[in-house]
Amino acid sequence: MPTNTPTAQPGWKGLIMLGMDHQGQFRRAALELGIPDDEISRFSQHLRLTIRLGGGSGGFPVGQFGGLPRLPVGMNWPSAGNCPLPFVFSVDCGALPRVDGFDLPADGTLLFFLAHEKDHLDDTGRYARVVYVQDGTDTVVAECPDSGIVGEQYDVSATLRAELPPWFGTDEDEDEDEDWDDLSPFQQQLARDLERDVPHLDELRALAHDLWPGGGRAHIGGYVNDEVINDIAEQTLAGREQAGEIVIPMAKWYSHVEKEKHRLTSEWMSLAVFTVDFASAYYTAHFVIRHDDLAAARVDKALCLTTFSD
C-alpha cells in the first residue's frame, strides 16, 4: 500500500473524516429554521449523501484517477480473457468521508477497472471489475499488459453532495410538466404524498443542497440510476415468477416493477458512477451493490451497467 496515506486534518474536513452525524447536523439546522420535527424526519428518510471525487489543486487527497494501480503481490492485472481492463480510479476507504448509512470498509483500497465500450455492448459483467485490497496487504505498482490503456494520473479529493430520489418534490403545478410526465403514476403519487406531508419541502431541499453542494468527476454512494434499478427489479420479479412464488398479470407488470424499484432502493445503492469521454462520446459507468455486500466487503458482488450518449 502507499506509504503516504493521509490522516484526518483539523477543522471541517477533519470532522468529516471522523464520521460527523450528518442526519443530526441536518436536523439541527432545519429546527433552527423553525421547521417541525415530523417534517424533518419524513424528508430525511429520502436524503442520501454521495461522496463526490474531483481533481485539481487543493482539497484532501483520497485516491487517484488513471496511472498504474497498486495490486497485491502476485495478483494478475484484471482482465476479461485476453482483454486487460483499463484502470479507472482507486480510493482509500480510510480517507473518505464517513457517511450515515453507507457501510464502506473502514480501511483498505477500492480499485475500479472498466473496458467501457465492451461493457456497454455486453451484459455478462466480465468487462467491469472492482478490487478491494485490505490494509496490511503487500502490494506493488502493477505493470499493465497494454500501455495504451493507461490514462494520465492525478490525485482526487472528496466533497459531499446531497442526493434525493428522481421523483422527489416534482410539482405538477409548476413549470416542470416534462419532468412530471416522465414520472410513472406510482412515482407521481409518491410525490403528491410527500408534498402533502411536508409543507416545508422546498426549504428542506434547499437546506440539504446548501449544506452539501459538492461536485466532481465521479461519485461514490447515493441512489442507483433509474435504468439500472429498473433492470434489477424486472430480473427479481421474473425470477420469483419462474420459481412459482408469484403470478403477475401482463397488464399489471409495469405497476409491479415500479413498486419493486421503490422497495429495492433500500436494498441497493450506487457504489460508483463516473463518465468516460471517448471519441466525442460519453460512456457512463454505474457500479451498484447491495448494502449488506458492501458492509462485508464483498465487492465482487457489484454489478455494472455502462450507458452511452453522444
Side-chain angles (χ1 to χ4, degrees):
M1 298 296 293
T3 58
N4 60 339
T5 301
T7 57
Q9 300 296 313
W12 179 80
K13 290 186 181 296
L15 290 174
I16 291 287
M17 300 304 161
L18 294 173
M20 179 184 289
D21 176 10
H22 300 106
Q23 293 286 358
Q25 179 190 12
F26 181 76
R27 183 177 299 277
R28 289 189 293 273
L31 288 172
E32 289 178 1
L33 294 176
I35 299 175
D37 188 72
D38 61 334
E39 288 191 48
I40 301 170
S41 297
R42 180 83 161 83
F43 181 94
S44 297
Q45 292 173 4
H46 304 285
L47 175 61
R48 293 186 182 181
L49 297 183
T50 65
I51 302 171
R52 296 283 168 154
L53 304 175
S57 59
F60 187 82
V62 299
Q64 74 176 61
F65 265 87
L68 296 171
R70 297 190 67 93
L71 294 176
V73 173
M75 179 179 177
N76 293 327
W77 187 282
S79 302
N82 294 324
C83 173
L85 305 181
F87 167 65
V88 182
F89 75 96
S90 65
V91 288
D92 176 356
C93 295
L96 290 174
R98 308 316 297 177
V99 175
D100 303 329
F102 184 9
D103 295 322
L104 275 173
D107 52 30
T109 303
L110 287 174
L111 305 100
F112 294 85
F113 297 80
L114 175 71
H116 52 275
E117 289 183 282
K118 290 182 170 61
D119 188 69
H120 172 62
L121 299 173
D122 184 275
D123 61 2
T124 65
R126 64 193 185 117
Y127 292 105
R129 196 79 49 82
V130 185
V131 175
Y132 174 59
V133 181
Q134 292 182 314
D135 274 358
T137 303
D138 290 333
T139 63
V140 295
V141 176
E143 294 185 12
C144 182
D146 180 359
S147 61
I149 64 172
V150 179
E152 178 184 357
Q153 179 176 336
Y154 60 91
D155 291 339
V156 292
S157 57
T159 55
L160 293 179
R161 183 179 186 276
E163 184 173 313
L164 298 164
W167 56 265
F168 199 93
T170 300
D171 192 336
E172 59 183 319
D173 296 325
E174 294 181 359
D175 295 330
E176 299 178 356
D177 292 338
E178 291 185 7
D179 291 340
W180 180 261
D181 291 341
D182 286 341
L183 300 181
S184 68
F186 179 75
Q187 290 174 323
Q188 289 178 355
Q189 188 59 55
L190 289 175
R192 291 191 189 99
D193 292 345
L194 183 72
E195 290 162 2
R196 179 198 64 213
D197 296 340
V198 186
H200 294 85
L201 178 61
D202 290 340
E203 294 95 320
L204 289 166
R205 184 167 46 195
L207 174 61
H209 290 303
D210 284 344
L211 288 173
W212 302 294
R217 174 181 173 183
H219 72 261
I220 296 176
Y223 283 96
V224 176
N225 169 271
D226 190 69
E227 182 178 349
V228 179
I229 200 68
N230 191 84
D231 286 350
I232 295 174
E234 289 188 337
Q235 292 174 20
T236 301
L237 292 176
R240 293 184 63 194
E241 274 201 311
Q242 291 177 0
E245 297 178 14
I246 56 174
V247 176
I248 303 176
M250 184 63 66
K252 298 288 186 180
W253 176 256
Y254 184 71
S255 63
H256 276 73
V257 169
E258 287 300 312
K259 292 177 182 178
E260 183 69 3
K261 284 168 59 177
H262 185 64
R263 184 189 72 80
L264 289 172
T265 58
S266 62
E267 181 179 332
W268 287 81
M269 60 171 292
S270 173
L271 178 58
V273 177
F274 52 87
T275 298
V276 179
D277 183 358
F278 181 77
S280 300
Y282 296 92
Y283 293 85
T284 301
H286 305 270
F287 283 85
V288 301
I289 193 169
R290 286 188 173 90
H291 283 277
D292 56 352
D293 285 330
L294 180 60
R298 295 189 293 261
V299 296
D300 58 307
K301 301 292 186 181
L303 305 178
C304 181
L305 174 71
T306 301
T307 57
F308 171 84
S309 60
D310 293 321

